[in-house]
Amino acid sequence: MNEPAASMPPEVARAQPLMSIGEVLGQLRVDFPDVTISKLRFLEAEGLVEPQRTAAGYRKYSWDDVARLRFVLSAQRDQYLPLRVIRDQLAQWDASGESPGRQRPTLVAVGPDGEVPGRVPEESVGSPQVRLGRLDLVARSGIDESTLGELERLGVVVSDPPGWYDDDALIIARAVAGLAAYGLEPRHLRAFRTAADREVGLFAQLLAPLARQSDPAARARAAETARELVALSQQLHAALVRVGLRSTLGR
């Protein structure tokens, strides 16, 4: 069996041949049996690792990449650190020129919603970052008030009780404006709402055991898991739509 990346001197690790995603998975599953290819792709999408690409588009991982992945997975499993905290620690080591291969994640205090005291929170599931009035939402999204009213009637856009809209409402409204340019009307979006509700029901069952716990680390893990589920759901949806359109496009 190959020597783990974390135990190699940096100069030796950098001289090792690059690995495919399957080979990396085999390395990591010794210590992280639940890791999947989808998980590795998600961590790449989150900017935590940047494997090289061949001319054909295949991922090729260095031993430094494997060391980063081990660090991330250890931080999540052993210390329940949110990805944003892990990303900050990796950025510090990148800036110093060090490798995380021989480093241990730094334990930090995490609030009940997964936030780090004194740190500006990033956008995450369940944590809206903006509050917009009705006119502001219309102006910033490009839809008109009648369209907004129709979206609310269909349950596609929902405001807080006082009539404020969050960043997700803005994202939805902008997407609706973009789709309208291709002839899609709000009434066509009912299927999107129905499909999203079904996904929410499935994901809520997965998240409930963690979300019900009072332990801040468990709740932070629930928030991070929700982000991963949303990202994977988006990937799955996009791929299914692409596959479904192939016959229409004659491919």
Side-chain angles (χ1 to χ4, degrees):
M1 181 179 295
N2 291 329
E3 183 180 3
S7 65
M8 289 186 184
E11 62 277 7
V12 175
R14 282 190 284 270
Q16 299 300 308
L18 299 178
M19 292 171 285
S20 68
I21 193 169
E23 291 171 325
V24 171
L25 193 65
Q27 285 281 329
L28 294 174
R29 276 187 170 165
V30 175
D31 297 312
F32 307 96
D34 295 331
V35 71
T36 63
I37 286 180
S38 294
K39 174 72 171 183
L40 299 185
R41 289 173 176 164
F42 171 76
L43 295 177
E44 178 186 349
E46 289 291 309
L48 297 169
V49 64
E50 297 181 7
Q52 300 177 36
R53 294 275 186 160
T54 67
Y58 294 107
R59 295 172 176 83
K60 287 295 182 180
Y61 293 80
S62 69
W63 283 95
D64 279 343
D65 292 330
V66 176
R68 291 176 74 89
L69 289 169
R70 285 185 182 279
F71 178 87
V72 173
L73 295 171
S74 295
Q76 288 188 308
R77 181 192 64 188
D78 301 336
Q79 299 189 18
Y80 302 100
L81 293 183
L83 286 185
R84 56 183 166 275
V85 176
I86 300 171
R87 188 182 294 111
D88 284 348
Q89 294 186 14
L90 288 173
Q92 292 173 12
W93 287 316
D94 288 342
S96 66
E98 296 182 19
S99 168
R102 295 176 178 272
Q103 306 290 341
R104 292 181 60 83
T106 302
L107 186 62
V108 299
V110 178
D113 294 321
E115 298 298 339
V116 179
R119 185 185 188 280
V120 177
E122 67 180 37
E123 181 180 347
S124 62
V125 176
S127 300
Q129 302 296 308
V130 300
R131 279 166 57 88
L132 298 173
R134 189 177 188 84
L135 294 180
D136 287 334
L137 179 63
V138 168
R140 292 180 60 175
S141 66
I143 63 174
D144 55 37
E145 285 200 67
S146 63
T147 299
L148 177 55
E150 181 68 4
L151 293 174
E152 289 178 312
R153 186 184 69 79
L154 294 171
V156 176
V157 169
V158 179
S159 67
D160 291 331
W164 294 98
Y165 301 86
D166 62 18
D167 40 3
D168 283 325
L170 178 59
I171 291 171
I172 292 170
R174 284 175 171 170
V176 170
L179 291 171
Y182 294 94
L184 288 179
E185 301 176 7
R187 60 188 175 86
H188 296 135
L189 305 180
R190 193 188 304 272
F192 289 83
R193 173 77 269 178
T194 301
D197 287 341
R198 289 173 179 167
E199 289 185 40
V200 169
L202 289 173
F203 294 166
Q205 294 179 43
L206 298 175
L207 294 168
L210 285 173
R212 283 197 296 262
Q213 298 182 37
S214 58
D215 177 30
R219 296 189 62 183
R221 178 64 174 164
E224 204 63 63
T225 300
R227 288 188 63 203
E228 292 187 19
L229 289 172
V230 169
L232 292 171
S233 173
Q234 290 172 337
Q235 293 175 16
L236 175 61
H237 175 78
L240 290 174
V241 172
R242 286 195 299 269
V243 170
L245 289 175
R246 283 177 185 167
S247 59
T248 301
L249 298 174
R251 295 181 180 177

